[in-house]
C-alpha cells in the first residue's frame, strides 16, 4: 500500500515538474519573440490548467503583439477574472 502511494506521489511530482518546465519554456519563447511556440506551450498547459491566470495573461500578450487586440482583451479579462489582485494584469 505504501509503495503504491509513493509511486502516486512521485508521478504527481513529475507531472508538476513537467508543467512548470513547459510554462518556463513558454515564457522563454515569448521573451525571444517566438510567439507561435510560446502560444503552443501555453495552450498545451491550458488543457489541464484552465484556471491558471498566468496562461491567459501570456496568451493576451501574444495576441497583443500580433495586433489581435480583441483577442488580447478577452485573454486579459479572463486573467483578471481568475486573479484580480495581480497588478500586472491591469494595463
Amino acid at each position: 500500500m505504501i509503495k503504491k502511494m509513493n509511486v502516486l506521489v512521485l508521478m504527481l511530482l513529475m507531472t508538476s515538474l513537467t508543467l512548470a518546465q513547459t510554462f518556463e519554456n513558454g515564457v522563454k519563447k515569448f521573451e525571444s519573440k517566438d510567439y507561435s511556440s510560446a502560444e503552443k506551450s501555453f495552450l498545451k498547459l491550458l488543457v489541464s490548467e484552465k484556471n491558471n491566470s498566468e496562461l491567459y495573461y501570456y496568451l493576451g500578450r501574444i495576441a497583443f503583439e500580433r495586433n489581435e487586440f480583441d483577442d488580447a482583451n478577452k485573454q486579459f479579462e479572463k486573467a483578471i477574472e481568475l486573479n484580480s489582485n495581480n497588478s500586472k494584469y491591469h494595463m
Side-chain angles (χ1 to χ4, degrees):
M1 178 76 167
I2 292 176
K3 193 172 188 177
K4 287 182 182 181
M5 290 184 87
N6 287 340
V7 170
L8 180 60
V9 169
L10 182 60
M11 288 174 55
L12 290 172
L13 288 173
M14 289 173 46
T15 300
S16 295
L17 181 61
T18 301
L19 294 174
Q21 289 172 335
T22 302
F23 179 78
E24 289 176 21
N25 182 52
V27 172
K28 287 179 184 176
K29 295 293 185 181
F30 175 82
E31 290 172 348
S32 67
K33 300 183 191 260
D34 183 357
Y35 301 127
S36 181
S37 294
E39 181 180 44
K40 287 177 187 174
S41 292
F42 297 133
L43 289 174
K44 179 179 178 182
L45 288 168
L46 204 55
V47 171
S48 61
E49 296 188 39
K50 292 188 187 314
N51 293 321
N52 185 330
S53 60
E54 284 287 299
L55 297 176
Y56 291 100
Y57 170 73
Y58 275 102
L59 289 169
R61 290 192 60 193
I62 291 167
F64 186 86
E65 292 296 329
R66 293 176 172 166
N67 297 321
E68 298 169 355
F69 301 118
D70 288 340
D71 186 39
N73 189 52
K74 288 177 190 172
Q75 301 296 343
F76 291 139
E77 285 179 355
K78 183 66 175 179
I80 291 168
E81 176 187 321
L82 292 171
N83 184 359
S84 62
N85 296 324
N86 192 324
S87 61
K88 74 179 178 182
Y89 299 164
H90 300 276
M91 300 163 109

